[in-house]
Structure formats: structure tokens, C-alpha cells
Amino acid sequence: LQDLAGSLFISRSKKFWIGCHCSIAIFSIRINDINTITVMDVNKIYYLTKEGLENLKNDLQQARELRKAKLGKEAPAAFYSEELNSEFVSFRDEMDVLDAKIDEMEHVLKNYEIIKPPLASERDTIGLGAKVKVEIDGATDDFTIVGTWEANPALGLISDESPVGKALLGKKAGEMATLNSPIKIAYKIKKITY
């Protein structure tokens, strides 16, 4: 990893963590198990709405409580023995996934910024937090531009880093935003509110 990613700068004993300083960015790499690696950009800012921040805090609390409950009640007897069996391996895999999710949420909470409405003079342009009504092939749809953590296209929450989000950012009502992958889709911006 050192040859590929640059110089090592962090070691964490709870799991196997490696921090890598690359020429482009700094990443935290966590090897959860043989099949799973979590990579987090330690310089990334996660843009959240106030509601998204509260949801994240609640999700983190629930995950911590679940972890505590699993360790207290559900830990297989093999967890405390030197014998390795499928029950232990399954439990350890579940705990690794839960630990990775907790670490990810904690990372976001250390690196977030609340989405604020723009100045009144800039509210005619699509930016983070904008609620946008668009027309696509004669049908209308509503989107809210959010950060990557809160994105949920099924609910109309579009990431500012997604292809659709990138196409819409900076546009004004009446303008067209075109997405060319894999087929061409034209979005006519009908209305922008904050």
C-alpha cells in the first residue's frame, strides 16, 4: 500500500487502519476483513441539512446501542474461547460491518458543514439546498440538491456530486441542463426555491 498510496501516517489498533497521503488527497483506509475495505477522504466536507444532521446523530446513537446490545447479549460463547467456528465468524463479520458504519458516521460528524441558504441576490441560481422543479420530456419532477451523505434519489434528494446534481448546479430558471450518460436527458428548470 505504501508504494501505491504514499507515506503512511496513521495506525489504529481497534481495527487495521492505514492513513495514506497521496499526491491528490489524504485518505483513511480501513481493512475490515479480507473482502471489505473502507476508504474515506479525510479532507472531504460533508454538506448536511439541519434535518440530515439530526438524522445522522440519531442513526449513530442507534448503531452504538445496537453494538452494545450485540456485545452484551448476542455474543456467541465462541467469542470468548480460542476455538474458531462459523457462529463466531458470522458474529465477527456482523460486528465489523457495524463498526465500519459507526466509524463512517463519526467521520462525517467530524467533517460536516450545515447547508445554508445563499444570499438573496444568489437565490435565482441552483446551489446546495435548492429545491428545483424541472420538466423532463413534458413531465415535471421536484429535486432538492443535497450533499452526498443525504442523497436519496427515490425521495428526490439529489447529490451535488451526482451527474444530475452537477448538471443542475449553477443553472437558473428557464435554462436547460443536459445529461449525456448513457442517454441524453434534458432538464428544463422551471422553478428554484430555498
Side-chain angles (χ1 to χ4, degrees), residues 7 28 30 61 64 70 101 127 139 141 149 157 166 178-179:
S7 60
S28 176
R30 176 184 177 172
Q61 183 62 33
R64 286 177 175 158
K70 282 186 173 286
K101 191 66 178 169
D141 207 348
W149 187 262
L157 301 173
K166 286 179 181 179
T178 305
L179 186 64

Side-chain angles (χ1 to χ4, degrees), residues 9-22:
F9 74 93
I10 293 177
S11 173
R12 183 174 172 181
S13 61
K14 180 179 174 189
K15 293 287 173 204
F16 181 64
W17 283 87
I18 299 173
C20 301
H21 178 59
C22 303

Side-chain angles (χ1 to χ4, degrees), residues 20-61:
C20 301
H21 178 59
C22 303
S23 60
I24 299 171
I26 298 174
F27 295 94
S28 176
I29 300 173
R30 176 184 177 172
I31 301 175
N32 301 323
D33 59 42
I34 288 178
N35 300 317
T36 310
I37 297 176
T38 303
V39 178
M40 291 181 276
D41 180 349
V42 296
N43 292 324
K44 180 176 175 68
I45 300 295
Y46 296 89
Y47 295 98
L48 300 172
T49 61
K50 289 179 185 177
E51 180 184 353
L53 176 60
E54 289 307 310
N55 289 340
L56 176 58
K57 288 178 179 178
N58 290 335
D59 290 347
L60 178 58
Q61 183 62 33

Side-chain angles (χ1 to χ4, degrees), residues 64-160:
R64 286 177 175 158
E65 289 169 5
L66 177 61
R67 184 182 194 285
K68 186 176 178 180
K70 282 186 173 286
L71 285 174
K73 295 178 185 174
E74 297 180 24
F79 188 70
Y80 302 104
S81 75
E82 294 178 15
E83 189 177 312
L84 186 64
N85 65 33
S86 62
E87 183 183 9
F88 170 76
V89 171
S90 176
F91 177 78
R92 189 67 250 162
D93 287 348
E94 286 178 26
M95 293 306 297
D96 284 345
V97 169
L98 185 57
D99 287 344
K101 191 66 178 169
I102 289 170
D103 288 344
E104 184 180 20
M105 288 187 280
E106 288 172 343
H107 175 74
V108 172
L109 283 174
K110 290 177 186 170
N111 298 287
Y112 77 90
E113 191 174 302
I114 293 291
I115 297 171
K116 297 176 184 155
L119 300 171
S121 61
E122 299 171 353
R123 291 188 184 193
D124 62 341
T125 303
I126 299 173
L128 271 168
K131 292 172 179 55
V132 184
K133 182 179 285 297
V134 296
E135 183 180 308
I136 310 161
D137 294 329
T140 60
D141 207 348
D142 295 309
F143 299 132
T144 301
I145 308 299
V146 296
T148 55
W149 187 262
E150 289 182 84
N152 186 340
L155 298 177
L157 301 173
I158 305 299
S159 166
D160 62 322

